[in-house]
Amino acid sequence: MAWNWSAETVLIGSLLIGIVNSNLIPDTIRNHNISHKDYKIHGKPHATKGTVLSHLLSHYDKTVLPSSHGGNEGLPTTVKVNLLIRDGSLNDDKTEFSTTVTLRMNWTDQRLAYHGSSKHPYLPVHDGHHLWTPDIFFNNEKSAHFHHVLTPNVLYKIYPDGTVFMSSRLSLVLGCPMDFTWFPFDRQTCQIKLSSYGHTTSEVALMWKEQNPVENFNFTAGKHVIEAIRYGQKVSPTSSGDYVILTVDLTFQRLLSSYVSHYFLPTVSTACIPAKC
């Protein structure tokens, strides 16, 4: 018996067979292209960290302050700062202080919130140029540079609640006014000052982290040793608005050992020999 199928009949039959087959395929097979379901956005699983990050940044505008979203409109974006002072040295001739620091900051951006998991507590971000970041600068900086060996020494992490953590290593040469009245028994105090370049206190609330805001490796700065480290903050009023300045005061005491052997002993010897001390 010959079958005479019309085009419409073939199309309807194909659709019915597809529906039946789809209902018979287990979910584990149908979703074989999803490697894990640890990350979710709006309750939907995403395959990789890169997929989640791409979704978060698909309509993201890094020129807009994080506090403009999530019911925080009108409030400043809080940025908490931690500073690790890795080393340092004083230059008496140029009255400057050179140091290498690790600058760490964190803030909350509700636009980057997602559903995380205990296995993957944060999203690593290798290129932070797509994110809003604080426009921090060092007020008394003479020169500075980032470190790029073997890779750029900068790290970004995004946590499920939208908290962004940033860490960067950089070297600074800072101006440090000095007083040599009591040389070589002098003490010098150098400052590290940082603030937002363009955001006033009404836009960015810059503050020190609550615990251990300033850390150091107890280094010896050439001919000096660190005697004390103090930190604080102040508000600087300008014609364009008020700006928060975070400060670190490092007090250095000069080491006398080299001066005793190179200056005092030869002087005493020279004075005593003619007088037959």
Side-chain angles (χ1 to χ4, degrees):
M1 180 177 63
W3 296 91
N4 185 17
W5 298 95
S6 65
E8 292 80 6
T9 304
V10 173
L11 178 60
I12 294 173
S14 300
L15 291 175
L16 290 175
I17 293 173
I19 293 173
V20 172
N21 288 340
S22 64
N23 291 329
L24 293 177
I25 298 175
D27 290 340
T28 55
I29 298 177
R30 187 182 303 116
N31 295 327
H32 69 281
N33 60 322
I34 297 180
S35 57
H36 58 74
K37 300 180 181 181
D38 292 332
Y39 294 95
K40 294 181 180 180
I41 298 178
H42 305 307
K44 298 180 180 180
H46 285 256
T48 65
K49 299 176 184 180
T51 305
V52 178
L53 187 60
S54 297
H55 180 91
L56 292 174
L57 298 178
S58 59
H59 298 92
Y60 186 87
D61 186 354
K62 69 175 184 179
T63 64
V64 178
L65 285 169
S67 56
S68 301
H69 298 267
N72 298 316
E73 294 83 354
L75 298 176
T77 298
T78 299
V79 178
K80 297 184 179 181
V81 179
N82 165 269
L83 194 68
L84 170 62
I85 305 172
R86 310 181 71 92
D87 58 31
S89 62
L90 275 68
N91 188 318
D92 294 340
D93 297 330
K94 296 182 178 181
T95 61
E96 60 188 26
F97 171 57
S98 301
T99 183
T100 300
V101 302
T102 299
L103 175 65
R104 308 183 184 108
M105 298 183 289
N106 65 271
W107 61 93
T108 299
D109 193 336
Q110 293 294 334
R111 296 172 294 176
L112 300 175
Y114 63 95
H115 182 80
S117 71
S118 57
K119 293 182 180 179
H120 305 282
Y122 63 85
L123 282 174
V125 180
H126 301 292
D127 184 3
H129 292 92
H130 302 293
L131 304 176
W132 180 91
T133 55
D135 57 342
I136 298 300
F137 83 107
F138 292 85
N139 303 58
N140 56 333
E141 169 227 320
K142 288 187 174 180
S143 63
H145 70 268
F146 291 96
H147 292 261
H148 299 277
V149 180
L150 294 171
T151 60
N153 293 184
V154 61
L155 170 70
Y156 290 87
K157 295 179 181 179
I158 302 177
Y159 291 87
D161 64 350
T163 296
V164 182
F165 172 80
M166 174 190 174
S167 176
S168 179
R169 188 167 73 100
L170 59 155
S171 291
L172 305 165
V173 177
L174 307 169
C176 177
M178 299 181 184
D179 182 0
F180 299 104
T181 303
W182 297 101
F183 177 88
F185 304 99
D186 58 318
R187 288 176 172 81
Q188 305 296 343
T189 298
C190 296
Q191 274 195 330
I192 301 176
K193 298 189 289 185
L194 61 154
S195 63
S196 170
Y197 187 80
H199 295 298
T200 63
T201 54
S202 62
E203 298 170 320
V204 170
L206 195 64
M207 63 182 64
W208 288 115
K209 185 181 175 182
E210 291 86 355
Q211 297 182 347
N212 301 320
V214 180
E215 304 170 282
N216 77 96
F217 284 158
N218 295 318
F219 57 88
T220 299
K223 298 179 181 179
H224 302 79
V225 63
I226 295 180
E227 187 177 70
I229 297 179
R230 294 177 295 273
Y231 61 89
Q233 69 179 61
K234 59 183 180 180
V235 176
S236 175
T238 69
S239 59
S240 59
D242 296 340
Y243 295 85
V244 172
I245 299 178
L246 301 184
T247 61
V248 181
D249 292 343
L250 300 103
T251 300
F252 297 93
Q253 182 179 7
R254 193 178 300 274
L255 295 173
L256 294 177
S257 56
S258 62
Y259 294 94
V260 169
S261 60
H262 287 85
Y263 297 100
F264 290 116
L265 291 180
T267 301
V268 171
S269 300
T270 302
C272 288
I273 290 175
K276 297 182 180 180
C277 297

